[in-house]
Amino acid sequence: AQSVTQPDIHITVSEGASLELRCNYSYGATPYLFWYVQSPGQGLQLLLKYFSGDTLVQGIKGFEAEFKRSQSSFNLRKPSVHWSDAAEYFCAVGLPSNTGKLIFGQGTTLQVKP
Amino acid sequence: DVKVTQSSRYLVKRTGEKVFLECVQDMDHENMFWYRQDPGLGLRLIYFSYDVKMKEKGDIPEGYSVSREKKERFSLILESASTNQTSMYLCASSFRAETQYFGPGTRLLVL
């Protein structure tokens, strides 16, 4: 069965430090890959997505992610974290079908220290 | 900009009440989804719809039903609310297998 794993439930980084959030998936083929961010009490906002092509994807708010087929991973990175980046981050895998269903990881909560 | 709206941000209901959560999208998307979000469990799919009057069960459909009479509107119905349905409910829509766009969520408390 398809699954998405975000190994880190909670991460704390200092403002200005670099960030990497991990995401691993289990799927027989190359799926569509997404990262979403959720601020407290809000819905999910798309940060970036990978469908095909260049494996390094740029997103909004200075985030990027790299698809590594050999590791079944799609890790999210940011070179310098801002206090406003504190939020919950979800990795999701999409199945290439018309239904557009997504499978979500359990989420990683990011805390930013001043 | 894609806009997905949900009828209420916060709801308080009594056990046994029938509850309707409404979701409307303005992008003519075929697919619409209802998720439930609980701490430590991520997002779990309750139901989705890939066309008007078409629906499929997700991972946790028990205790819920849905209705999609018009393309832009997807309703989640709790036939008889129970305390274990206290949660955050998120609606989303997408065009085929492309990006899902989410509404702001409805936080439901069942007393």
Side-chain angles (χ1 to χ4, degrees):
Chain A
Q2 298 88 6
S3 66
V4 179
T5 302
Q6 293 180 243
D8 305 304
I9 296 173
H10 194 276
I11 282 184
T12 300
V13 300
S14 298
E15 191 168 16
S18 63
L19 172 70
E20 181 169 33
L21 302 183
R22 295 182 291 164
C23 174
N24 293 96
Y25 66 90
S26 172
Y27 185 61
T30 299
Y32 297 160
L33 296 159
F34 304 82
W35 274 101
Y36 285 88
V37 61
Q38 184 182 34
S39 298
Q42 303 298 316
L44 275 67
Q45 180 184 20
L46 178 72
L47 281 176
L48 46 78
K49 60 188 177 186
Y50 173 81
F51 286 175
S52 64
D54 192 346
T55 56
L56 185 62
V57 180
Q58 301 298 319
I60 62 171
K61 305 186 182 189
F63 285 92
E64 67 177 26
E66 185 171 13
F67 168 56
K68 292 187 177 180
R69 186 190 310 273
S70 61
Q71 298 176 19
S72 296
S73 69
F74 189 56
N75 294 348
L76 182 71
R77 300 194 295 248
K78 186 170 185 178
S80 178
V81 168
H82 188 263
W83 63 266
S84 60
D85 293 324
E88 190 160 19
Y89 292 80
F90 291 94
C91 179
V93 166
L95 310 178
S97 69
N98 282 349
T99 65
K101 286 173 64 176
L102 295 181
I103 300 169
F104 284 86
Q106 292 186 323
T108 298
T109 299
L110 173 65
Q111 184 178 0
V112 180
K113 290 191 303 186
Chain B
D1 266 2
V2 176
K3 197 162 180 72
V4 180
T5 56
Q6 295 183 229
S7 50
S8 304
R9 293 300 304 276
Y10 302 94
L11 272 181
V12 180
K13 297 293 182 181
R14 297 280 180 192
T15 302
E17 279 192 76
K18 191 169 186 175
V19 181
F20 293 86
L21 303 182
E22 303 283 337
C23 176
V24 177
Q25 50 95 3
D26 67 355
M27 282 302 291
D28 204 35
H29 286 166
E30 295 100 338
N31 301 327
M32 296 188 75
F33 308 83
W34 274 107
Y35 294 91
R36 165 178 179 156
Q37 182 180 18
D38 300 288
L41 297 178
L43 276 73
R44 293 180 291 168
L45 182 64
I46 305 171
Y47 267 97
F48 71 99
S49 169
Y50 50 91
D51 202 349
V52 175
K53 297 190 187 294
M54 306 302 288
K55 61 187 179 185
E56 281 195 24
K57 294 180 180 179
D59 302 315
I60 52 164
E62 297 77 20
Y64 304 94
S65 62
V66 290
S67 172
R68 193 164 180 204
E69 296 297 319
K70 292 185 177 182
K71 193 174 186 179
E72 68 270 18
R73 188 179 298 269
F74 191 35
S75 303
L76 180 70
I77 303 154
L78 287 65
E79 296 289 343
S80 177
S82 64
T83 55
N84 63 13
Q85 292 179 310
T86 290
S87 188
M88 173 75 136
Y89 290 88
L90 291 164
C91 174
S93 72
S94 76
F95 174 69
R96 296 188 179 176
E98 307 245 340
T99 306
Q100 284 191 22
Y101 294 90
F102 284 82
T106 296
R107 192 168 292 280
L108 174 66
L109 172 62
V110 182
L111 300 174

